[in-house]
Amino acid sequence: MESQKVPPVTGAGFDPAYVPGLTSPGAEAAAEDKVTESDEPTREVTPVEPEESEEPEDAKPQPEPAPKAPADGPVLEAKDRRGSITVDATGVRFTLDDQEADFTWDEISAVEYGTSRKRLTVTVHTPNSRWYPNDVEAPDKSRLKEWTDQLDKALDEYFED
């Protein structure tokens, strides 16, 4: 059998220098070292005070307040010591310790939930076949029942099948 020679593959996967515009950190440091103080004249810089704006206060853009859910619709707020699950008119929000995930209703393809002992688990499914579960622990079984009732009402109100 005759062997064929395969040319070597070049590209960024094999050699990062293949990507135009990328340089190693050593190249930048070497370029900075070439400029010495004797090559560059010394200049004195004086800070300039910013001038007062001529625009009235009304013309300046004001930060928009964060959107809040209307108080008249059903809302689920289930919290435990580490996290929370919130379902309202804006969508579904999960928190766990210092992490937060927000899903608006237009980016959710399905919401499912389940209970186990005193734990409520809510899973959000997105159109790209990903799912994001979060769970909270209820202090007692009556609170768990209350949360599932609130969740049913909120999903019936806001989520369209």
Side-chain angles (χ1 to χ4, degrees):
M1 233 181 175
E2 188 176 312
S3 67
Q4 296 178 350
K5 282 193 166 187
V6 178
V9 178
T10 59
F14 296 100
D15 183 13
Y18 183 77
V19 178
L22 286 181
T23 59
S24 66
E28 291 176 9
E32 290 175 4
D33 290 341
K34 290 180 183 179
V35 176
T36 61
E37 290 183 20
S38 61
D39 294 342
E40 196 173 301
T42 54
R43 297 182 192 142
E44 193 169 311
V45 178
T46 57
V48 177
E49 296 288 327
E51 294 180 13
E52 288 293 323
S53 174
E54 296 295 324
E55 297 179 20
E57 280 295 315
D58 297 339
K60 291 184 181 180
Q62 300 294 326
E64 294 182 21
K68 295 202 174 195
D72 58 349
V75 174
L76 164 71
E77 289 187 28
K79 297 180 182 181
D80 66 4
R81 59 184 168 75
R82 290 192 61 204
S84 70
I85 298 171
T86 305
V87 179
D88 57 18
T90 59
V92 179
R93 183 171 30 273
F94 294 153
T95 61
L96 180 63
D97 296 329
D98 63 343
Q99 302 296 314
E100 184 174 310
D102 288 319
F103 303 95
T104 59
W105 289 115
D106 60 341
E107 63 187 4
I108 296 174
S109 62
V111 176
E112 65 180 347
Y113 70 92
T115 60
S116 150
R117 297 189 185 184
K118 295 189 306 181
R119 185 165 296 278
L120 171 67
T121 301
V122 177
T123 304
V124 171
H125 295 267
T126 59
N128 59 358
S129 299
R130 294 188 183 259
W131 63 92
Y132 304 90
N134 194 17
D135 54 14
V136 291
E137 188 170 341
D140 52 34
K141 288 189 178 189
S142 64
R143 178 63 60 94
L144 182 63
K145 175 78 171 117
E146 184 181 312
W147 285 349
T148 57
D149 291 343
Q150 290 175 350
L151 181 58
D152 279 334
K153 289 177 185 175
L155 290 176
D156 288 343
E157 177 74 24
Y158 304 122
F159 188 66
E160 297 175 11
D161 294 321

